[in-house]
Amino acid sequence: MREAVRLALLTTHVHTEAVDAAFVQAKAVATLARVTSVRDFDSASVLEQLHDFAHTDAMKKKLGDVIIACRKNWSAKVVLNRLCTPNRFGRHFQIRAVDAVACGLWTFAKFGHDPERCICETVELGGDTDTVGAMAGALVGALHGTPWLPLRWYMNIENENDVGRDRIVSVASRLAQLDLRSVD
């Protein structure tokens, strides 16, 4: 899986930490997709597993901070101060992949039992909201599937001439049926 992630990122992210962060995100999605009982799901054990799978010191440190943040019930402000590396876009803008993945995992660990709230809380963190929100969405989607999705989230998406909502639903359905074991 790590090599598949690395190859998928070749055109956009080649830094070792970015590849590791993407692997951790992919491993989280794969792990969550295999959960058989949402009610019995334990985010702390998943975070511990992900920490063990991370290769870079930066990703391990961020995951360690997420684990501590969950144990100590840190506020969003404290989490952002700890997880985000200040940069030209702002103190809490998740420009580094390890920061973005850590923020998505934190909101998932804290709010993943309520998918809609999880995504809203993730976006409310600010920063790179579309990226981190998509990461949290992938996590809750892997755990909960799609039945929880509110109609208001997608019924107003433009939908004309083979672009828009119907096309997105069609592509998503085909992706959900993709058997990655058959891909070389």
Side-chain angles (χ1 to χ4, degrees):
M1 180 187 266
R2 188 175 295 278
E3 181 62 8
V5 167
R6 188 189 70 76
L7 291 172
L9 296 177
L10 281 176
T11 59
T12 59
H13 294 75
V14 295
H15 192 279
T16 306
E17 289 177 5
V19 174
D20 196 30
F23 172 76
V24 166
Q25 173 72 15
K27 189 67 173 172
V29 169
T31 300
L32 295 170
R34 291 184 182 95
V35 170
T36 55
S37 173
V38 175
R39 187 178 50 230
D40 298 333
F41 168 71
D42 176 29
S43 62
S45 66
V46 171
L47 290 172
E48 293 286 348
Q49 289 174 25
L50 294 174
H51 185 272
D52 292 342
F53 285 117
H55 279 192
T56 63
D57 291 340
M59 191 74 250
K60 284 184 178 292
K61 169 134 182 28
K62 297 294 179 178
L63 285 167
D65 287 344
V66 170
I67 291 166
I68 293 167
C70 292
R71 283 185 191 146
K72 295 188 175 186
N73 200 27
W74 287 353
S75 69
K77 183 177 180 179
V78 173
V79 167
L80 288 170
N81 284 335
R82 197 65 165 280
L83 296 181
C84 296
T85 306
N87 58 74
R88 65 183 176 172
F89 299 109
R91 179 176 173 83
H92 297 144
F93 194 96
Q94 308 91 346
I95 196 67
R96 295 177 64 216
V98 293
D99 297 357
V101 169
C103 286
L105 285 169
W106 175 75
T107 54
F108 174 77
K110 187 166 174 120
F111 304 107
H113 60 281
D114 181 347
E116 183 175 359
R117 182 173 181 200
C118 179
I119 292 173
C120 291
E121 293 283 347
T122 303
V123 171
E124 287 179 18
L125 288 176
D128 193 0
T129 58
D130 58 332
T131 300
V132 183
M135 290 175 179
L139 297 170
V140 295
L143 182 62
H144 294 280
T146 60
W148 65 270
L149 284 167
L151 288 175
R152 70 185 183 285
W153 280 19
Y154 61 90
M155 288 309 293
N156 293 322
I157 297 173
E158 63 187 345
N159 193 35
E160 298 176 13
N161 303 326
D162 198 35
V163 296
R165 185 188 64 239
D166 291 347
R167 178 75 171 158
I168 292 167
V169 170
S170 172
V171 170
S173 295
R174 289 195 319 268
L175 282 171
Q177 296 171 8
L178 183 65
D179 182 1
L180 293 177
R181 293 170 295 200
S182 66
V183 178
D184 288 334

